[in-house]
Amino acid sequence: MATRDLERWMWAEACALLDQADRLQQQFFDPPDARATRRAWRPPVDVYQAGRELVIVAALPGVTAERLEVGIDGAMLVIAGERRLPPGLRSHNVQRLEIPRGRFERRLRLPPGHYQIGQHELSHGCLVLVLHRVESLTGEST
């Protein structure tokens, strides 16, 4: 491969990687919704379903229960709060920050039906929520 072609190829690869990094940053630091005025990061989640039960696992390293809000808004599960820098590290010089901090909000559209939050716990840096689909007011299963 000619030197000139190699330089073009390397430049194209570098630009593609920068574009990919920009897309990933936008994915994790989008405003939570159109009503929001502050930017927030969105924690990654896993969702599992078995019968009438949904289990949601959200990665929230370093988030305390006092800084966490969980609720159901219509057909949306809302997980919001704030991840702060640990107090013992505030006087340290930052060498690298890859774990998001600050305000976060994640909204997940729930499958059809009405849900109630059952169990919830912070464990090993993750929020584990168990939602139960409940019967509608007419007594029918939703």
Side-chain angles (χ1 to χ4, degrees):
M1 181 180 282
T3 303
R4 189 84 172 141
D5 291 339
L6 183 59
E7 288 174 359
R8 281 190 204 139
W9 174 79
M10 288 174 60
W11 183 251
E13 286 294 307
C15 289
L17 287 172
L18 287 171
D19 287 342
Q20 181 182 10
D22 188 49
R23 282 192 306 274
L24 285 171
Q25 182 177 3
Q26 288 175 5
Q27 174 186 345
F28 286 105
F29 292 92
D30 281 342
D33 63 29
R35 299 175 303 223
T37 58
R38 295 190 307 176
R39 293 186 65 79
W41 60 278
R42 298 184 322 172
V45 297
D46 293 335
V47 179
Y48 306 91
Q49 183 172 8
R52 301 168 66 83
E53 183 177 273
L54 282 177
V55 177
I56 291 97
V57 180
L60 298 172
V63 175
T64 62
E66 297 80 29
R67 299 276 174 210
L68 182 62
E69 307 159 23
V70 178
I72 296 176
D73 181 15
M76 303 291 279
L77 173 67
V78 180
I79 301 169
E82 182 179 22
R83 178 179 180 271
R84 291 185 171 180
L85 190 65
L89 298 178
R90 292 188 181 140
S91 63
H92 289 66
N93 292 326
V94 174
Q95 297 296 307
R96 176 179 292 203
L97 284 177
E98 293 185 1
I99 302 171
R101 63 186 169 95
R103 180 83 184 147
F104 64 86
E105 184 171 321
R106 184 69 189 258
R107 293 177 160 274
L108 296 171
R109 181 165 300 285
L110 296 170
H114 299 282
Y115 291 86
Q116 288 181 339
I117 298 173
Q119 300 166 251
H120 62 281
E121 69 173 322
L122 284 170
S123 176
H124 303 288
C126 291
L127 170 66
V128 180
L129 289 170
V130 179
L131 305 182
H132 300 283
R133 191 173 66 204
V134 296
E135 300 211 3
S136 69
L137 298 175
T138 63
E140 298 174 8
S141 177
T142 58

